[in-house]
Each structure stands twice: as structure tokens, then as C-alpha cells.
């Protein structure tokens, strides 16, 4: 059974209809994944044909909640108790991708610059690659069929909710006090970043700023 076929047997709520949320809806439609609803706390009448009629009931019954990265569980009581169900567009990408290697870059500063440098170096050496995630296109909007590599800029917001991310190459650049109002404290912020390493195997690579080890 293909990974797409497995997704068709599950139910989803797309919570938040920003760029990443809309890319998830587009991904579901393009792959004939029909068992999904949408919800946005502000865009009340947007995609109303797919809107969940009863949010509380939908949250209870779906298999997964695909959450937009900007929503903090600290500030959303409706979602807090459904933490185990929450995934992101990055997770959907990893659940279906088995064709190319991935490079994930995170850190407080320098993510975009590092991603662009990696993209330049790979293309300069005749590797096909795409760049997306927190920079430019949402990850599910990328065309990856002929790529050798996909470079992903991952924010702490995305990583905080992610469960299936598993890079072939994971870069952790640096960490300074930032986004603490969203994460609650620095330890939560750090743990969100460390998720890029948790599912890596021995064949994968972890590149960490030496200063972070101290």
C-alpha cells in the first residue's frame, strides 16, 4: 500500500488557513484525500464547504490535526489536550517522501542564509534541489520528483508540533533567547529545535554548532 493510500484511510483537521494550511488543503485535493475538514479562528467563512461544523467534536474524532506553525498551544486551550494528534505540513512531507534526501536547517539566526548557500553549492555541483519550508514555498508546494535533495528551513514553531521529521542532514546553527512568549521558556524552545535529530538513524548526519555543546 502506498503512503498516499495510507493517508486516504485517515481523517484530518487542517487548523489554520495561512500559507502552510492552504498548501495542505491543496495537497489533500491533488492526492484525492477526501476525509478532511478545515478550521480557522479568524477566517470564519473561508473554504466553508470544508469547514468543521462542530470544532470540539471534530477535534475529538479526527486522527490528526495539521496545525499551522503560528499557533501556540500555550495560548489555545482548545488544542492543548489534543497535542498527541497534532502534526505539521513537514510531517506530511516526510510521510510521503522516499525519493530524495533532505537537508533541514534550524537555529535562531542564519537559517535563510545557510539554506540559500546550500542551494547554491548543490546546484553549482550539478545536483538538483529545491528549497522550501519556512523560507519561500511551503514544503508541500515543492515539485520534488526529480530532485536529489530538498532543503528545508524549519522554524521552532514548525518543529514544536512535528512528529515525523527525519532529515538525512540536520543543521542546528545556534540558539539565543527568542520566541519565549510562544514556547513558554528556553527549555521548550531548545527541545523544539532538537526534534530534527530524534528520528535520525546512523546513516544520517547531524551538524551542530560547537558552541551549543557547551
Amino acid at each position: 500500500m502506498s503512503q498516499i493510500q495510507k493517508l486516504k484511510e485517515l481523517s484530518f483537521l487542517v487548523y489554520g488557513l495561512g500559507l502552510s494550511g492552504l498548501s495542505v488543503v491543496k495537497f489533500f485535493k491533488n492526492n484525492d484525500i477526501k476525509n478532511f475538514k478545515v478550521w480557522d479562528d479568524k477566517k470564519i467563512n473561508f473554504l466553508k464547504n470544508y469547514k468543521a461544523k462542530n470544532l470540539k467534536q471534530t477535534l475529538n474524532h479526527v486522527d490528526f490535526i495539521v496545525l499551522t506553525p503560528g499557533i501556540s498551544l500555550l495560548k489555545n486551550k482548545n488544542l492543548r489536550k489534543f497535542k498527541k494528534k497534532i502534526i505539521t505540513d513537514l510531517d506530511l512531507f516526510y510521510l510521503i517522501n522516499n525519493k530524495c534526501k533532505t537537508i533541514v536547517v534550524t537555529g535562531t539566526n542564519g537559517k535563510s542564509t545557510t539554506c540559500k548557500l546550500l542551494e547554491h553549492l548543490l546546484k553549482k555541483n550539478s545536483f538538483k534541489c529545491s528549497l522550501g519550508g519556512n523560507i519561500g514555498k511551503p514544503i508541500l508546494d515543492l515539485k520534488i520528483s526529480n530532485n536529489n535533495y530538498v532543503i528545508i528551513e524549519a522554524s521552532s514553531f514548525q518543529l514544536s508540533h512535528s512528529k515525523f521529521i527525519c532529515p538525512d542532514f540536520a543543521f542546528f546553527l545556534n540558539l539565543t533567547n527568542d520566541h519565549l512568549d510562544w514556547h513558554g521558556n528556553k527549555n521548550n524552545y531548545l527541545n523544539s529545535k532538537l526534534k530534527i535529530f530524534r528520528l535520525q538513524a546512523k546513516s544520517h548526519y547531524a551538524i551542530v554548532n560547537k558552541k551549543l555543546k557547551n
Side-chain angles (χ1 to χ4, degrees), residues 9-12 35 58 61-65 84-86:
E9 296 183 355
L10 300 170
S11 58
F12 301 89
N35 197 2
T58 304
H61 288 95
V62 293
D63 294 304
F64 288 109
I65 301 161
K84 290 183 179 180
K85 292 185 178 185
I86 293 174

Side-chain angles (χ1 to χ4, degrees), residues 143-187:
K143 295 180 180 179
I144 63 170
S145 56
N146 295 316
N147 286 336
N148 298 112
Y149 294 93
V150 173
I151 305 164
I152 303 168
E153 179 182 320
S155 72
S156 61
F157 303 154
Q158 291 171 302
L159 294 173
S160 180
H161 300 315
S162 293
K163 291 179 172 60
F164 302 108
I165 185 168
C166 183
D168 295 276
F169 301 87
F171 286 75
F172 189 0
L173 303 179
N174 47 56
L175 188 79
T176 59
N177 289 334
D178 201 4
H179 307 307
L180 300 190
D181 58 331
W182 195 95
H183 290 281
N185 55 60
K186 191 173 182 179
N187 191 54

